[in-house]
Each structure stands twice: as C-alpha cells, then as structure tokens.
Amino acid sequence: MIALRASLVVAAGLVVAAAGASAQGPNLDDRPTGFLTEKTGGMPADSWSGTTLATAKRLVSALPAAPRSRALRDLQFDVMVSLLTPPAADGSPLPSLFARKVDRLAAMGEGESLNEMVRSAGDYDDPAVATTVTNAMMMAGERDGACAVADRHTLLEPFARRAQVACMLAKGDTDGALHAAAALRGSDPSLAALVEVAAGVRPPVAAPPGPADGPAMVLLYLAHLAPPTSLLSTTQPPLIRALVGQPALPMATRIDIAERGEALAIIEATRLADLYVDALRQGAPLPPAMERRARLVASARNAAKPQEIVDAVRAVYGETRGSPLFPTIARASAAALLNLPAKPAYADLAQEAIRGFLLLGDKQLAKAWTKLALQAAYNNARALNALDRLMPLIEIAGIDSAPKVVPEDINRWYEVVRQDDARAAALRGNVLLALFRGVGFDIAPRSTDLPETPPSGVGLVMPSAGVLQALQAAGAGHRRAEASLLACGAIGETPLTALHPAALAIIVRALRDAGEDRAARLFAIETAIAHGL
C-alpha cells in the first residue's frame, strides 16, 4: 500500500495559503453573505448589530473546528451561513470577514455548505476561495461538485495541479491523468504514484509522504487503497468525513470513526445508522459491542408496527443509557420514536421517549409525552419516582414553562440522583443547580440540598475570565452573533463533563439573554445528559 504518511501540516498549509491570498481578493463585507434566512432556519439578519467588524473577524478566526457541544456547533454553523448584515467597515485589516468564514467552514468539514455560501456570494473568481472550496468538497466526498469548481475557476498552485490530475482520473480520463502525473513525478512523487496505482499501471508500493488533502483522498478512493493508519485517530472534521467515506477501510474502522464524528456533530446520525445497517447486511466483522449497537439501531430503523417500535426503542435506551455513546445511539435510532404517537397504550415507554425528544430538541413531542407520563404516574408511586429522574431535564428544557421550581421538588429529585449514584451525586447536583440558574430559575443560595460548589478533587476547566466577561456583556447587549461565537469559543474542545458548572451557568444565561433560548436549553440538556442525568 502507498505509504501516504500524510503531512497534516502541509495539508493545513493549503488552507492557510488560501486564507492569506484571500486578503488580496475581493472584499465582500459590504453586503450580506450566506444562504439561510430567518424563515429557513437561519439567524435574524441583524444578528451582528452592536458588534464591530474587527470583533466579528477576531471571533470567527478563533472558532474551534469541532466544539464539543452539538448544540453550540450548530449555533456556530448558523452564524457562518446565515444571511446576516455584516458590521460596518471600521478599517480593520484583511482578511475579510467573508474569507474568514470560508476558512472556518472548511475547517469544520462543511464542504457542501461552504460551496453553497460561495455560490450564493458569487466569489469563485477569488483563487484562494475556489481552492478552499474544491479541497473541502473533495474531503467531503463530493467529487463531481469539486471538479466542476476546479474546471471552471483558477486555483492556487501547487494544489491546482493536484486537483487537475485527481479530477482527470475521476472523470475517466486515465491517459490524461497518467500524462499529467508523469510531469509531476519529480515535484510530487506521492501523487504520481497514487495516480499510477489508481490507473492500474503499477502495484501498490511505498511512496514518499504527501499531504492528506482532497486530491489525495480522491485518489485513494479511486485506487481502492486504505488511508494510512496515522490518520485514523484524527479529530479534524474534514479528515473524519473523508475517512468515513473510504470503502477500502474495514467497516469496523469506518464505524469507529463515524461514532466519534457523530459525537462531535461532524457526521450525521443518519449516516452512522446507514453504516451500521450496511455492516450487518455485508456480514462485516465487528467487535461484539459495536455489533450490538449496530443491531440495536438497525432494529429500531426497521421497526414498523407500534409494538416493534416500543421493543426496539426500549432496547436501545435500556442498553446504552449511562454509556458515553448513549446520545449518539439515541440519535441514530430516533426515526423510530418519531413514528410512535403519544397514546396511553405506550405510556410505559414515556421515560425513554421524553429523554429522546429532549435530546433531539423537539419540544412539542417532549411536552406531549411528558403529559402522558404524568397521567400514567398519577397515584402510582413507582412510576412517579421514575419520572422524578427526568423532571429536572423537563424543567431545564422549559417544557411546562414553569416560572419557578419549588425547593421541596428539587430536593426530592436530588434524592433520586443520590440513590442512582452516590459518588457522582455531588457533581451532578452542582451541575443541576448551575443549569437551573442558567435557564432563569431564581434559586437562593443554600435554599435546597443541591451543592453550591462542585466537589473538591474533580478536574474541571474554567474558561478565561476575559472570555466569560465578554460573553456576559454580549448577552446583556443582545449581540446575538457575538454571544453565540463567544459561547463556542468558551467551550472550545473541552468535553462537556469537564466544564466547570459555574461556566455552564454563564454560557446558558448569556445565550438566553442574547436571544438564543433554544440553543441555550439544548446545550443545557446536552450537558446534563453527558453527566448521566
């Protein structure tokens, strides 16, 4: 196999070069750029109101490629692609805000959405932007679209030559690709070797290392070669998406990467579910635990009759609750829940259904199933005790729009938490208190049994005071886009279970103050479930 022990530094250098060159391209910051409007799920057009252009540029450039929160990652994406009126020009240095959005969308692995944003802005004529779009789409497996951009627009060198050869081979022009590759044998031996293997004129042999960029991934796909093992543990979104789409990798490896990618909101839950089903259909060898997850999801997807759905969902939630992969498996099997009506006959599934809909952010269905669960629990102490495990999440999600929570109820819920896991109860209780206060419940200090501080000895991460102060100020000033990006930057790549509860409260409250109540509550629910609540 070709030893493409890829230089991620070289691959990243292509993006850096593109961003630098964008400084010389057209400045699109004098008009809105994006493709989502408020009516189609985007942010309000005035979401940058009150934020300076210099601040917007700085925040976009500092965004993490893969924030460890699905809710905040989606919020970050919304800021990038919504049709927002940019802040007024203020003499801040290039690159433009648009160029920085291009760079960040590529880093997030959003090749298709990046292409749509650039298409709507009409900016393919900037070679740096066209280069970034082509590379991002190739990494995302969108070979035809990537080659269409490469064929019609000028790209930066040396990427342009690599893309040209890969596109020739992808379109069946084997002779042209071999001729072009021969001319590059001295300057780009790795690419030349890959082309010759893909064309069938040489067996897989070792070659010098090359960049793990879009053209390399296209050629690996066409050559039916597995990418090097050095790439398989990556957390970089473009590479995760590229690796999941490489059929030469063992199915177990692709699923392992896809599970990691789904947890990071890089891979869609439906894509992961498709891989599970394909693996079972092919009889691919999987580790026992992975095979069990695949069968759980496949059963849920294939369930048609109500009782089949009930059994499948109960199996998914019963076997994965408490596992770090619970949210991932729950989302992958969510279609089954959506097909089950909230009827008394299915009341014994209400606990699972509520948790699932809270995780999916479907407030209306969560409310319907909560009503069903309360009716079923009436005069049933055991059912009411089980429901107490979910009531904190229901309150945090704002399902019943209660203006306050009663200390006696909070204490009862916390007692259930302590019964479930006494050792984890103190941290979970402090997280609950922080989230309650974050979503607006006025809970006086020491008025409940919930711990006011996290237990000592627990390694928790507190974002910098400057970032949190800026976030609070942006929230109070209703600077929606600014607060959203500050929240994403505050968590960065810190796991949700490692964030200090005090920071959680600040993030949730600031987002709600800025007008992002739904995202704030989704983040709160996501965090609570990550803690095992």
Side-chain angles (χ1 to χ4, degrees), residues 67-356:
R68 294 300 179 92
S69 159
R70 175 172 290 271
L72 295 192
R73 200 251 186 209
D74 289 347
L75 190 60
Q76 176 173 309
F77 175 81
D78 286 347
V79 176
M80 296 295 100
V81 302
S82 293
L83 196 62
L84 307 183
T85 302
D90 57 5
S92 54
L94 294 171
S96 66
L97 179 60
F98 177 79
R100 294 170 197 245
K101 291 197 299 179
V102 167
D103 174 72
R104 286 295 83 196
L105 279 172
M108 291 169 67
E110 292 288 351
E112 303 96 319
S113 294
L114 169 58
N115 183 50
E116 177 62 19
M117 186 181 77
V118 173
R119 185 200 63 76
S120 64
D123 195 34
Y124 291 116
D125 290 336
D126 181 343
V129 171
T131 297
T132 302
V133 171
T134 301
N135 188 59
M137 292 190 71
M138 284 181 168
M139 295 293 277
E142 295 292 330
R143 289 177 288 278
D144 292 345
C147 290
V149 175
D151 288 346
R152 298 169 188 166
H153 304 282
T154 302
L155 308 182
L156 298 176
E157 296 293 356
F159 180 87
R161 291 191 295 272
R162 293 174 61 82
Q164 179 188 38
V165 173
C167 287
M168 283 180 177
L169 202 59
K171 290 183 288 188
D173 184 4
T174 303
D175 291 341
L178 286 170
H179 180 75
L184 295 175
R185 190 172 288 120
S187 60
D188 201 340
S190 176
L191 179 134
L194 274 173
V195 170
E196 290 169 358
V197 172
V201 300
R202 83 182 265 186
V205 293
D213 62 359
M217 292 299 159
V218 170
L219 291 172
L220 283 170
Y221 178 90
L222 297 173
H224 307 290
L225 292 176
T229 56
S230 59
L231 297 182
L232 302 184
S233 60
T234 184
T235 58
Q236 295 190 27
L239 273 174
I240 284 179
R241 293 197 66 185
L243 293 171
V244 168
Q246 291 287 347
L249 283 171
M251 185 61 85
T253 301
R254 294 172 66 192
I255 290 176
D256 179 67
I257 296 169
E259 288 179 340
R260 186 167 71 248
E262 199 286 334
L264 293 171
I266 297 164
I267 300 298
E268 297 82 1
T270 51
R271 178 74 175 106
L272 172 59
D274 289 341
L275 284 177
Y276 284 141
V277 173
D278 288 345
L280 295 175
R281 184 171 56 246
Q282 296 169 14
L286 303 177
M290 182 181 289
E291 182 178 355
R292 180 59 183 162
R293 292 194 294 273
R295 294 194 181 282
L296 286 171
V297 172
S299 294
R301 283 187 53 157
N302 294 332
K305 297 179 180 179
Q307 190 56 50
E308 292 176 346
I309 296 173
V310 168
D311 293 343
V313 171
R314 182 174 289 113
V316 167
Y317 283 68
E319 296 195 28
T320 62
R321 187 185 175 191
S323 163
L325 280 172
F326 166 73
T328 289
I329 304 306
R331 283 188 290 262
S333 58
L337 268 179
L338 295 172
N339 293 326
L340 192 68
K343 293 183 177 180
Y346 313 128
D348 59 345
L349 192 69
Q351 313 295 328
E352 291 86 351
I354 294 168
R355 186 177 295 274

Side-chain angles (χ1 to χ4, degrees), residues 344 347-348 350 371-380 383-384:
D348 59 345
K371 181 179 179 180
L372 177 63
L374 288 169
Q375 292 170 344
Y378 187 71
N379 289 332
N380 186 329
L384 190 59

Side-chain angles (χ1 to χ4, degrees), residues 330-419:
R331 283 188 290 262
S333 58
L337 268 179
L338 295 172
N339 293 326
L340 192 68
K343 293 183 177 180
Y346 313 128
D348 59 345
L349 192 69
Q351 313 295 328
E352 291 86 351
I354 294 168
R355 186 177 295 274
F357 290 126
L358 289 175
L359 192 63
L360 294 173
D362 195 319
K363 198 169 180 177
Q364 288 304 113
L365 285 173
K367 185 174 183 178
W369 281 88
T370 298
K371 181 179 179 180
L372 177 63
L374 288 169
Q375 292 170 344
Y378 187 71
N379 289 332
N380 186 329
R382 183 176 179 181
L384 190 59
N385 182 264
L387 190 57
D388 279 344
R389 287 177 170 81
L390 283 180
M391 286 310 296
L393 299 185
I394 291 169
E395 297 293 352
I396 289 169
I399 298 300
D400 61 0
S401 303
K404 63 180 180 178
V405 287
V406 180
E408 291 76 14
D409 287 339
I410 293 175
N411 292 340
R412 189 178 75 252
W413 301 334
Y414 184 46
E415 181 58 32
V416 173
V417 172
R418 285 190 287 204
Q419 290 172 5

Side-chain angles (χ1 to χ4, degrees), residues 43 46-52 55-56 58-60 63-64 71-73 75-76 79 84 467-492 503 506-517 519-520 523:
M43 284 186 159
D46 63 352
S47 291
W48 280 121
S49 179
T51 302
T52 66
T55 297
R58 175 176 54 81
L59 292 177
V60 168
L63 286 173
L72 295 192
R73 200 251 186 209
L75 190 60
Q76 176 173 309
V79 176
L84 307 183
V467 169
L468 292 179
Q469 289 170 2
L471 174 58
Q472 289 174 302
H478 308 297
R479 299 192 294 273
R480 193 166 189 156
E482 181 179 338
S484 298
L485 298 193
L486 281 165
C488 297
I491 70 162
I506 291 172
I507 292 169
V508 172
R509 186 180 302 113
L511 286 174
R512 294 185 66 245
D513 288 345
E516 283 294 339
D517 182 77
F523 172 65

